[in-house]
Amino acid sequence: MTQTSQGLFEAIRSIARFIRTSNKVIVLTGAGFSTPSGIPDFRSEGSGLWTRFLPMEVASLSIFRHNPEKFFDWLRPLASHMDNANPNIAHYALTRLEKAGFIQAIVTQNIDGLHTRAGSQNVYEVHGTFNTLTCTGCYHQYKSAEFLDDFINSGKIPHCNDCSRILKPDVILFEEQLPIRIWQKAEAASRECDLMIVAGTSLEVMPSAGLPVKAVDNKARLVIINNTPTYIDVRADIVLYENVADVIPVIADEVLKE
Ligand code: ZN
């Protein structure tokens, strides 16, 4: 979008004012929040992760169960990106805002754990996390880090140290239910907030994509910061077609400057 820097700064000041004057601020983040950290959007065409397989065909529970090699082959480049990634300035900006009491929760569709690594406390990972793995036999939970080098470098599929069964990353696959307790918290937070900031997501994956509707139906303000349009831009108070790393740190500075 063409936008004068004057117009952009005015919008940033307005968003900062919204944040300062709201009682309960929720941020909903997606793949665009982690692309500045070097993690490609695995759902988007051209990411390099999409071209070999359709995610729906490999990142599914049935493929994991019946053809785990194919599943882990698909996961390997993504795991490698996540292993190399660090939180970016937008992650840290949200952490600063949360610490200062201006953000009550972050709802994320990302599985990379970068919000938590940046120090954010109240994070609802509605699509699960790649940081841990769970045994499909005895349900023992492991840190992914323990298996990551072998998996990335020698292709070794992770197995349980106790019962030798295969380990499943704690990410929500296609055909799988969202983690119910986390999802209910995310839904409640969306209904109860008076400002929702959608950042770095095109809102294409249901049911997370429906959370902003719950917020605006309850008269919350809606701010959208994303590179590309979303279906709910028409109901937003402010829409910025910008990269999160370019504007969120500036917004945080503006909120925290006084
Ligand atoms: Zn086990």
Side-chain angles (χ1 to χ4, degrees):
M1 190 173 94
T2 52
Q3 202 166 34
T4 62
S5 52
Q6 179 78 23
L8 177 58
F9 190 62
E10 278 308 308
I12 284 172
R13 286 183 63 180
S14 299
I15 296 168
R17 195 173 61 245
F18 286 174
I19 293 173
R20 294 183 68 91
T21 55
S22 297
N23 292 316
K24 191 160 184 186
V25 181
I26 304 300
V27 186
L28 172 63
T29 71
F33 220 93
S34 293
T35 44
S37 291
I39 299 176
D41 178 359
F42 71 92
R43 286 189 173 84
S44 66
E45 196 170 354
S47 68
L49 299 170
W50 193 85
T51 41
R52 278 175 66 209
F53 307 110
L54 285 168
M56 290 71 91
E57 286 175 8
V58 281
S60 70
L61 194 59
S62 44
I63 290 292
F64 175 80
R65 282 186 180 145
H66 303 298
N67 194 348
E69 288 79 11
K70 187 174 178 185
F71 170 83
F72 280 105
D73 275 349
W74 170 80
L75 183 65
R76 193 166 294 112
L78 185 61
S80 173
H81 282 295
M82 287 191 281
D83 189 32
N84 290 318
N86 289 306
N88 63 61
I89 51 176
H91 290 106
Y92 289 114
L94 292 188
T95 304
R96 285 193 284 144
L97 287 170
E98 186 192 39
K99 285 211 166 100
F102 287 108
I103 287 179
Q104 276 61 56
I106 297 169
V107 178
T108 187
Q109 304 169 78
N110 297 337
I111 56 171
D112 50 46
L114 291 181
H115 284 298
T116 329
R117 271 181 55 199
S120 289
Q121 299 288 318
N122 207 20
V123 182
Y124 304 143
E125 295 172 310
V126 292
H127 291 175
T129 174
F130 183 68
N131 284 346
T132 51
L133 306 160
T134 298
C135 175
T136 52
C138 70
Y139 302 104
H140 186 87
Q141 196 181 50
Y142 294 88
K143 292 268 182 212
S144 297
E146 195 180 323
F147 300 89
L148 215 47
D149 278 351
D150 271 355
F151 172 55
I152 291 171
N153 299 322
S154 54
K156 206 171 152 195
I157 291 178
H159 284 83
C160 182
N161 295 336
D162 295 331
C163 75
S164 306
R165 295 281 289 274
I166 204 160
L167 303 183
K168 181 190 166 294
D170 291 335
V171 298
I172 307 304
L173 304 177
F174 290 94
E175 305 163 358
E176 243 185 326
Q177 297 287 326
L178 298 189
I180 188 69
R181 272 178 304 175
I182 292 170
W183 175 249
Q184 283 170 343
K185 283 182 185 173
E187 265 192 322
S190 304
R191 270 195 309 270
E192 291 159 9
C193 71
D194 53 358
L195 171 62
M196 176 176 279
I197 301 173
V198 171
T201 168
S202 303
L203 298 173
E204 280 162 358
V205 183
M206 288 301 280
S208 316
L211 292 175
V213 176
K214 297 182 192 302
V216 288
D217 280 354
N218 203 30
K219 308 265 190 305
R221 280 176 166 147
L222 179 63
V223 169
I224 299 178
I225 302 164
N226 193 47
N227 282 329
T228 54
T230 78
Y231 78 95
I232 203 168
D233 288 2
V234 287
R235 294 187 71 182
D237 295 88
I238 297 176
V239 180
L240 287 181
Y241 296 125
E242 298 285 343
N243 190 313
V244 295
D246 293 334
V247 294
I248 292 190
V250 187
I251 292 168
D253 289 345
E254 186 66 22
V255 173
L256 299 170
K257 77 179 182 187
E258 285 162 34

